[in-house]
Amino acid sequence: QVQLQQSGPGLVKPSQTLSLTCAISGDSVSSKSAAWNWIRQSPSRGLEWLGRTYYRSKWYNDYAVSVKSRITINPDTSKNQFSLQLNSVTPEDTAVYYCARDNPAFTSSSRFDYWGQGTLVTVSS
Amino acid sequence: DIQMTQSPSSLSASVGDRVTITCRASQSISTYLNWYQQKPGKAPNLLIYAASSLQSGVPSRFSGSGSGTDFTLTISSLQPEDFAVYYCQQSYSTPQTFGQGTRLAIK
C-alpha cells in the first residue's frame, strides 16, 4: 500500500520560502512509471497543479507557468521522498498543499491515485 | 490551459436518489478524464479514471462516461457517505487542470 506523508511548517512569512517534504512508502521516487506531484487548494484558486518530478533514465521536472519562476521540486533518492520549495511567497500562496502520485503517468490512465494528508500553509507576518 | 467546467456547482439530493454531475472540457481530451470525491479536511479520493474505469475499492454505484469534451459522473443510489464535493480533472495535457467542484448536499 502506497502512503505519502507530508511534513513542513504551517506558517511562512511573506517574501520567505515555503518548504514541504513528501515521504514515500510502498513505492519509489525513482519509479519509471510514476510522477510525483505537488497540488494546492485554496477557496480562490480551487485545486491547482503546481509541478512534478519523475525519473525516466534521468530526472525531469515540469512546473505550472503561474509559479515557474519561484518553484523547485527535488527528489531525494536516499530518503525516498521529494520536496517543494516556493520562493518569495505572498498571502496569495496561502493554501492547503498536497503531494500526490500520478501512476501510470503519461498514459491514457494517468491519474492522481495516492495523496498526502495535506498541509495548510498560511503566509502571514 | 484546458479549462474544466462542472455543472451544477451544487445540488441537493436524498439517500437513494440517482445523481449525475457533468464536466465539460474547453477542448477535446479523448478519455483523459478523472473524477475525485473530497470530504471536509481530507485529500481528494480517486473514484474514476480514464473517463469510465472504476478505481479499485470504489463502490460500483459510481460510474463515469463520456469522451471528447463532455463527461458525466453518475451515482446510481446515493448513500449517506456520498455527500461530499466532486471534482473532475483532465490528464490530457500539462498543466493538469481541475473543475471547480460540485457540492452534493443532503436534501
Side-chain angles (χ1 to χ4, degrees):
Chain A
Q1 176 77 344
V2 176
Q3 291 188 326
L4 304 179
Q5 181 67 38
Q6 297 178 218
S7 60
L11 181 64
V12 182
K13 289 182 168 49
S15 80
Q16 295 193 342
T17 297
L18 180 162
S19 296
L20 296 173
T21 298
C22 183
I24 304 164
S25 58
D27 199 352
S28 170
V29 72
S30 304
S31 164
K32 291 188 177 180
S33 64
W36 304 95
N37 298 262
W38 287 99
I39 296 162
R40 68 182 177 184
Q41 184 174 30
S42 65
S44 59
R45 302 169 80 102
L47 284 161
E48 180 185 16
W49 176 84
L50 298 176
R52 64 188 170 198
T53 190
Y54 56 97
Y55 184 75
R56 300 291 187 270
S57 301
K58 68 174 187 176
W59 288 101
Y60 295 87
N61 292 103
D62 296 314
Y63 299 128
V65 169
S66 61
V67 295
K68 192 168 187 176
S69 63
R70 302 191 290 131
I71 190 173
T72 304
I73 297 176
N74 282 325
D76 182 342
T77 57
S78 66
K79 296 182 178 179
N80 200 32
Q81 63 187 31
F82 62 109
S83 64
L84 167 69
Q85 287 194 311
L86 188 64
N87 302 325
S88 305
V89 297
T90 71
E92 290 208 344
D93 294 310
T94 295
V96 177
Y97 287 75
Y98 295 101
C99 58
R101 186 184 81 163
D102 178 0
N103 189 56
F106 310 105
T107 72
S108 60
S109 297
S110 169
R111 70 265 202 185
F112 300 122
D113 59 349
Y114 289 95
W115 296 65
Q117 78 276 22
T119 302
L120 173 60
V121 178
T122 301
V123 179
S124 174
S125 55
Chain B
D1 298 2
I2 297 175
Q3 292 193 347
M4 308 301 294
T5 304
Q6 291 180 231
S7 60
S9 295
S10 63
L11 75 152
S12 298
S14 301
V15 172
D17 284 353
R18 180 183 180 90
V19 167
T20 297
I21 298 169
T22 297
C23 178
R24 175 164 288 176
S26 60
Q27 66 182 73
S28 177
I29 58 170
S30 183
T31 57
Y32 289 66
L33 191 283
N34 305 315
W35 289 98
Y36 301 85
Q37 176 193 67
Q38 188 177 33
K39 295 183 178 179
K42 299 293 188 182
N45 180 51
L46 177 67
L47 301 174
I48 301 287
Y49 66 94
S52 60
S53 296
L54 191 67
Q55 174 70 357
S56 175
V58 174
S60 60
R61 63 181 179 273
F62 291 94
S63 64
S65 65
S67 67
T69 60
D70 294 316
F71 302 87
T72 58
L73 172 70
T74 299
I75 310 172
S76 60
S77 178
L78 274 173
Q79 299 301 301
E81 60 269 28
D82 299 338
F83 293 96
V85 181
Y86 293 84
Y87 295 94
C88 61
Q89 173 246 332
Q90 65 83 15
S91 59
Y92 183 79
S93 68
T94 302
Q96 302 185 48
T97 48
F98 294 83
Q100 82 279 14
T102 295
R103 184 174 302 275
L104 178 53
I106 301 173
K107 184 182 288 184

